[in-house]
Amino acid sequence: MLGCCGCCSALRPRYKRLVDNIFPANPEDGLVKSNMEKLTFYSLRSPEKLDRIGEYLYQRASKDIYRKRYKFVEIAMEAMDLLLMACHAQILNLFVESFLRMVQKLLEDTNPTLQIMATNSFVRFANIEEDTPSYHRRYDFFISKFSSMCYGNNDDVELRDSIRMAGIKGLQGVIRKTVSDDLVANIWEKQHMEKIVPSLLFNMQSAPSKSSDTEATPSTPPLLAEAVLRELVSRASFGHIKSVLKPLLTHLDHHKLWVPNKFAIDTFRIVMISIQPQYSYTVVETLMSHLDQNLTSSPKTRTSLAVVLSKIIAIAAGESVGPSALDIINNLLMHLKTSVSTQHDESTPEETQYQEALINALGEFANHHPDYQKIEIMLFIMNTVPDPSNKSKGDQLLQNILLKSLLKVGTQYRTVSFEKAFPVSFLQPLLKMGRAASIPIRIIVMQIFQQLLDRHQNQHLLNVISVTHYPTLTVENPSRSDILFTHKYGSNILQAIIESMSQENHLEVLKSSYNTIALVIVEMACGETVQEFLLFILGVQQVAVTEVELSPKHRCNLHSIAISLLILLGRCTTIGTLVEYVEKLILARKEEAPYLLPPLMDNDKSAPSTLNTNLPHLLIDKLAVAECLQQAGLESNRVQTGSPYALNQMDISAHRHSWVDTHSAVRNSVVDSSYNDIESVSSSPGVQKRSLASEYNFESMKRVLAEPTEASKREAREKQMQIGRTFRETAFEDLVRRTEPKHDVIQNKLNEIFNALSAERQISSTCGVQAGSLLNGTTTAIIEAGKHGGTGQRPIYENNFPELFFY
């Protein structure tokens, strides 16, 4: 019997005998290493036997699993691994089929140890680069099994984590094996991603997310799941990234992970950092589409979605240029408009938070664009703001929201040149909004100006209206381009501010307006622009004095703002005489009318019983200010002859009198100016009377007499206007008729001239001198020839002018 068995054993194929020899008599002894080396050597020498070796090992392992002999199963799996790592022949595919059947057999068993061992073997297999492609291999079972292992809930925490780690590693192996092989089943298909992505997210949400970069080999399921998600996203192409994002969003929805949204923010940050940069825009687009689908959700959910968007949109901004950038801005604005349109009454706190989150997202997106694109974004937003003439509640709320968005973008912009920061197409509608009836809108417009004007971080200092010195104020001389900008558009800005301040006595409006004009003065004031700012300050005072509809407190506040701006202007331009004059005026007001100095008075607070604002000697004097400029060696003609700013006198598109034409402006007479000087200077503190001896001299009187009178100037202007009106309104035929030459008059004049010549000939003929007679004869012959045309034609001087010259 033994001989027969030995004989049968000898007749068995050699590869089976080599496989049998690797198993010890006692399974606890483990794999027989020497025999394993023989089997490996045989496999390398005869690679065509690999498939048979694999099939035989699978059969032995299946029997051992059935008999619960798990130690022998482990030995068979170990032998499979060693053969797999050692052999790289082209026929490895045949062995791989047996190997995968072995792994699947172990994964189907309920023994956790076998599952973990099989998973580790599969991971090692996934790291092998095969020489030949596989046409028929599928991994559907492995994806399902590894995904289910990720949800392990064993009572033993350590074993549970081990099973979950094995499942995550298995998914990582499937990803690595399938992404690089185009011939296998598509791992990006919906049914696969809906298993892989939620499995990873489930493990990530079980513990606070931390960057896997801190550990070379992640040791916990959350860290490993995060690392696998990073790898999955990084391998996704443009057409596959949405396959990852859709199950991700679905998981967050089903598990209500938007509120609170910390996990959602962390997850999307991982996605944005891992994705290929050129595809990051797709993530923002997908999240916005998901926000569209949740418009009927609770405000908290929409707010959380918007917050997540604001946290990740900055990462996508760097790769989003041109139309894609404006597309994102437009989508955000559309969500803002939709949010406003759904509010029937007052906005709820939840809806306001949602709008703020969208605005923050817009600001974060704009912050990562170059400045020239920020200007384009601001202009794009400005063009979507409803017209300020629309005074409905919904339009005003939308104006407020959109201007807040504009302000958010403006806070990210760093102004270098005012000409670039305020293009005409942006400045004009912004100033128009600055005249709106709504107080919040005007305040936001002023805040936008402040953000764009403040190049030296002075805004926080100028929030306080004061006549005292600002010790830490940063002042720098404006550039030539800024001076030219002030010449062209400074008057428009100043006019909008003075009209905003004059509408009502609202402290926030007055303070924001003061802050804005103070920044304009700090940034643009110099010798070339000081006169325009003085006219503005005088205009503020004039409004306070002349506008009858203003309350006494409002008048006092305007006087306080005017004096504060004047002392600030003097210090910024270092005009010592002006500063000295204002300081004396401030002292006089402190003694007689302290209510004409800061701080401002609110309507809700009590005020002194008597508010007398009609105190000429305490007001800023126009000619005294001009005298201060003259003493400083600066031009003062514009302050002397120009009119201060007033209300409702200018259109935004019109410019005030150009400063370049100052010297060509019509000046008042010396007598009138001197008279006004006498009257005003006598009531102005701190200003000496000018000597009139230098004014009344021969040259000045000659200049006065040579100048046309006011009546003649007015008559000339009226005549000029009449002529212009005639040529604009009269029909063309009438103009031709009026401009035709008077032929009869011309003909009569010519006849008179030639008759006079004939009379002279007759008188000279009586002298009897031969030479005279000869000369007269010649003249007579010429005249007779001229009369008869020499050849019977009409004399040339009797011809009317040709019609060609009528026009």
Side-chain angles (χ1 to χ4, degrees):
M1 188 70 180
L2 290 174
C4 180
C5 292
C7 178
C8 292
S9 176
L11 293 176
R12 298 181 68 193
R14 185 181 179 189
Y15 72 89
K16 287 187 177 182
R17 286 184 279 129
L18 292 174
V19 170
D20 292 337
N21 292 337
I22 67 173
F23 292 94
N26 183 7
E28 299 296 333
D29 295 338
L31 182 69
V32 180
K33 297 297 181 65
S34 59
N35 293 335
M36 185 65 212
E37 291 176 357
K38 294 177 182 179
L39 177 62
T40 303
F41 180 76
Y42 176 79
S43 301
L44 292 175
R45 291 287 301 273
S46 304
E48 69 277 3
K49 300 294 185 180
L50 264 176
D51 59 330
R52 299 180 184 180
I53 295 174
E55 180 65 23
Y56 185 63
L57 280 170
Y58 169 72
Q59 291 175 1
R60 287 204 55 156
S62 298
K63 293 178 182 179
D64 291 332
I65 291 175
Y66 179 76
R67 297 169 182 171
K68 307 294 184 183
R69 299 166 60 180
Y70 294 125
K71 288 294 182 179
F72 285 114
V73 175
E74 294 178 9
I75 293 173
M77 193 72 249
E78 184 180 356
M80 278 276 200
D81 291 341
L82 292 174
L83 290 175
L84 190 70
M85 300 300 294
C87 302
H88 298 283
Q90 293 184 353
I91 58 173
L92 185 62
N93 271 337
L94 298 177
F95 176 76
V96 169
E97 294 302 322
S98 301
F99 170 81
L100 292 178
R101 288 173 63 194
M102 171 83 81
V103 173
Q104 180 174 343
K105 192 71 175 178
L106 268 61
L107 289 174
E108 290 173 345
D109 194 83
T110 57
N111 189 334
T113 305
L114 294 183
Q115 293 179 1
I116 295 173
M117 182 177 61
T119 303
N120 293 334
S121 297
F122 181 85
V123 171
R124 286 191 288 270
F125 159 71
N127 292 326
I128 297 175
E129 296 184 5
E130 299 183 54
D131 297 332
T132 57
S134 58
Y135 296 92
H136 57 281
R137 195 179 301 161
R138 299 190 62 85
Y139 297 95
D140 297 19
F141 167 81
F142 297 101
I143 294 174
S144 300
K145 183 59 180 180
F146 291 142
S147 298
S148 65
M149 291 172 65
C150 294
Y151 296 96
N153 57 355
N154 196 291
D155 295 336
D156 186 350
V157 176
E158 185 176 353
L159 180 59
R160 182 196 65 189
D161 289 347
S162 299
I163 295 175
R164 290 186 179 184
M165 288 280 287
I168 297 171
K169 288 179 180 179
L171 291 178
Q172 185 180 33
V174 173
I175 294 170
R176 290 178 178 177
K177 200 63 180 175
T178 56
V179 168
S180 58
D181 193 346
D182 296 332
L183 299 176
V184 299
N186 188 1
I187 190 66
W188 306 107
E189 291 180 358
K190 179 181 178 181
Q191 64 268 24
H192 299 323
M193 285 293 110
E194 287 181 350
K195 297 175 182 177
I196 295 175
V197 175
S199 302
L200 300 176
L201 296 176
F202 174 78
N203 284 274
M204 290 171 59
Q205 72 189 63
S206 63
S209 176
K210 296 185 296 182
S211 175
S212 60
D213 294 337
T214 57
E215 297 183 19
T217 55
S219 57
T220 61
L223 292 179
L224 182 60
E226 179 181 334
V228 175
L229 181 63
R230 290 176 184 271
E231 183 175 350
L232 177 66
V233 173
S234 65
R235 292 174 177 266
S237 63
F238 178 76
H240 297 148
I241 186 62
K242 289 187 178 180
S243 301
V244 180
L245 295 177
K246 288 182 180 179
L248 190 155
L249 293 171
T250 304
H251 181 84
L252 295 176
D253 290 339
H254 289 172
H255 292 270
K256 295 180 172 41
L257 296 175
W258 292 113
V259 182
N261 60 357
K262 184 180 184 305
F263 175 73
I265 293 174
D266 293 338
T267 303
F268 271 96
R269 277 180 173 164
I270 292 171
V271 172
M272 293 300 291
I273 293 173
S274 305
I275 196 172
Q276 299 181 44
Q278 64 270 25
Y279 305 149
S280 58
Y281 169 75
T282 308
V283 182
V284 177
E285 187 181 48
T286 305
L287 192 54
M288 282 188 172
S289 299
H290 195 68
L291 185 58
D292 288 335
Q293 299 169 6
N294 285 270
L295 291 179
T296 57
S297 302
S298 66
K300 288 186 177 180
T301 302
R302 286 184 282 118
T303 301
S304 297
L305 270 164
V307 171
V308 174
L309 187 62
S310 67
K311 298 297 184 181
I312 69 166
I313 200 169
I315 304 174
E319 302 297 328
S320 177
V321 295
S324 61
L326 293 181
D327 187 37
I328 290 178
I329 295 297
N330 187 49
N331 285 338
L332 291 172
L333 294 179
M334 288 301 298
H335 285 295
L336 283 172
K337 291 179 181 179
T338 304
S339 173
V340 173
S341 63
T342 56
Q343 299 178 27
H344 303 289
D345 299 321
E346 296 293 332
S347 60
T348 60
E350 292 82 4
E351 200 69 30
T352 302
Q353 291 178 359
Y354 170 60
Q355 294 167 359
E356 292 293 336
L358 289 175
I359 292 172
N360 290 333
L362 196 151
E364 289 295 329
F365 180 74
N367 186 33
H368 289 73
H369 282 80
D371 284 345
Y372 75 90
Q373 278 194 319
K374 292 176 185 175
I375 291 294
E376 293 295 330
I377 292 173
M378 287 192 288
L379 181 58
F380 184 80
I381 297 174
M382 193 71 234
N383 291 333
T384 63
V385 179
D387 191 89
S389 59
N390 300 334
K391 298 183 180 180
S392 65
K393 193 170 183 180
D395 285 333
Q396 288 187 358
L397 184 58
L398 183 57
Q399 291 167 2
N400 190 295
I401 293 299
L402 293 178
L403 287 174
K404 283 184 178 179
S405 304
L406 184 59
L407 175 62
K408 190 68 177 181
V409 179
T411 56
Q412 315 295 344
Y413 182 77
R414 293 295 173 262
T415 303
V416 177
S417 169
F418 293 126
E419 184 177 8
K420 295 180 180 178
F422 295 102
V424 180
S425 55
F426 173 65
L427 179 62
Q428 289 187 359
L430 187 61
L431 291 178
K432 192 175 182 181
M433 294 300 302
R435 292 176 165 88
S438 173
I439 291 177
I441 290 176
R442 298 210 310 274
I443 292 176
I444 295 175
V445 170
M446 291 300 146
Q447 291 173 346
I448 294 172
F449 271 109
Q450 292 161 17
Q451 291 295 334
L452 297 178
L453 288 169
D454 187 19
R455 293 186 297 190
H456 299 91
Q457 287 69 51
N458 293 319
Q459 179 185 357
H460 65 286
L461 299 174
L462 300 173
N463 278 330
V464 180
I465 302 176
S466 174
V467 294
T468 59
H469 183 62
Y470 297 101
T472 59
L473 194 67
T474 304
V475 181
E476 184 179 348
N477 291 331
S479 63
R480 191 62 192 169
S481 64
D482 292 339
I483 294 175
L484 293 176
F485 173 83
T486 311
H487 288 354
K488 293 173 65 176
Y489 305 112
S491 57
N492 293 338
I493 299 175
L494 299 179
Q495 186 68 32
I497 293 175
I498 196 172
E499 292 184 7
S500 176
M501 289 193 299
S502 305
Q503 291 190 31
E504 64 275 303
N505 187 41
H506 192 279
L507 285 190
E508 289 301 321
V509 173
L510 294 177
K511 289 179 180 179
S512 61
S513 300
Y514 170 83
N515 194 323
T516 303
I517 184 58
L519 284 171
V520 173
I521 290 175
V522 171
E523 296 290 343
M524 303 182 186
C526 62
E528 298 182 48
T529 61
V530 65
Q531 294 189 80
E532 189 74 13
F533 293 126
L534 288 173
L535 288 178
F536 170 81
I537 295 171
L538 292 170
V540 174
Q541 178 177 270
Q542 182 173 325
V543 170
V545 173
T546 60
E547 292 296 320
V548 295
E549 297 180 356
L550 301 184
S551 65
K553 292 182 180 179
H554 195 179
R555 296 177 189 273
C556 294
N557 289 339
L558 291 180
H559 282 297
S560 300
I561 291 175
I563 195 71
S564 301
L565 292 174
L566 186 60
I567 189 67
L568 177 66
L569 179 63
R571 287 166 178 160
C572 291
T573 54
T574 64
I575 302 177
T577 53
L578 182 60
V579 174
E580 182 180 354
Y581 164 69
V582 182
E583 288 177 346
K584 292 182 180 180
L585 190 59
I586 292 172
L587 290 176
R589 288 189 181 187
K590 285 182 178 179
E591 295 178 359
E592 302 183 39
Y595 46 83
L596 298 182
L597 294 173
L600 303 184
M601 291 186 291
D602 193 356
N603 287 328
D604 299 333
K605 297 181 180 179
S606 59
S609 56
T610 58
L611 293 177
N612 184 11
T613 59
N614 188 18
L615 300 172
H617 64 287
L618 297 181
L619 303 182
I620 303 170
D621 184 71
K622 176 179 180 180
L623 295 179
V625 171
E627 178 67 21
C628 294
L629 293 181
Q630 290 180 357
Q631 293 178 6
L634 300 174
E635 287 286 339
S636 61
N637 295 330
R638 182 157 170 72
V639 175
Q640 290 179 344
T641 61
S643 58
Y645 281 73
L647 301 182
N648 302 323
Q649 284 188 350
M650 294 180 55
D651 186 78
I652 187 172
S653 59
H655 300 303
R656 291 176 63 87
H657 178 70
S658 175
W659 299 2
V660 180
D661 300 332
T662 300
H663 296 290
S664 62
V666 180
R667 300 181 181 181
N668 295 330
S669 66
V670 176
V671 177
D672 292 340
S673 63
S674 300
Y675 176 76
N676 292 334
D677 197 28
I678 295 172
E679 293 297 324
S680 61
V681 173
S682 62
S683 63
S684 301
V687 177
Q688 300 295 328
K689 295 182 179 181
R690 292 185 295 179
S691 174
L692 301 182
S694 60
E695 297 293 338
Y696 291 106
N697 51 33
F698 178 76
E699 291 297 331
S700 63
M701 298 304 294
K702 180 179 178 181
R703 192 163 54 251
V704 170
L705 293 176
E707 290 182 352
T709 62
E710 292 295 328
S712 62
K713 292 179 182 178
R714 186 165 54 255
E715 183 180 355
R717 286 195 297 269
E718 291 177 356
K719 186 175 181 181
Q720 184 178 7
M721 292 174 61
Q722 183 178 2
I723 293 174
R725 192 162 48 249
T726 300
F727 276 90
R728 283 195 303 269
E729 300 174 358
T730 308
F732 180 72
E733 292 77 8
D734 295 338
L735 291 176
V736 172
R737 195 179 307 111
R738 290 188 183 188
T739 55
E740 287 181 352
K742 303 300 184 283
H743 305 299
D744 296 337
V745 176
I746 297 175
Q747 189 66 36
N748 293 336
K749 284 293 183 182
L750 290 175
N751 291 335
E752 288 178 6
I753 292 173
F754 284 103
N755 288 337
L757 290 176
S758 300
E760 290 180 3
R761 177 183 59 77
Q762 294 174 3
I763 294 172
S764 60
S765 63
T766 59
C767 65
V769 182
Q770 185 66 30
S773 299
L774 180 60
L775 179 60
N776 290 334
T778 305
T779 304
T780 302
I782 294 173
I783 293 174
E784 292 299 326
K787 286 183 177 181
H788 299 288
T791 59
Q793 299 177 355
R794 292 182 62 181
I796 188 64
Y797 57 82
E798 292 184 3
N799 286 333
N800 294 330
F801 288 103
E803 293 183 0
L804 179 64
F805 300 102
F806 281 5
Y807 306 100

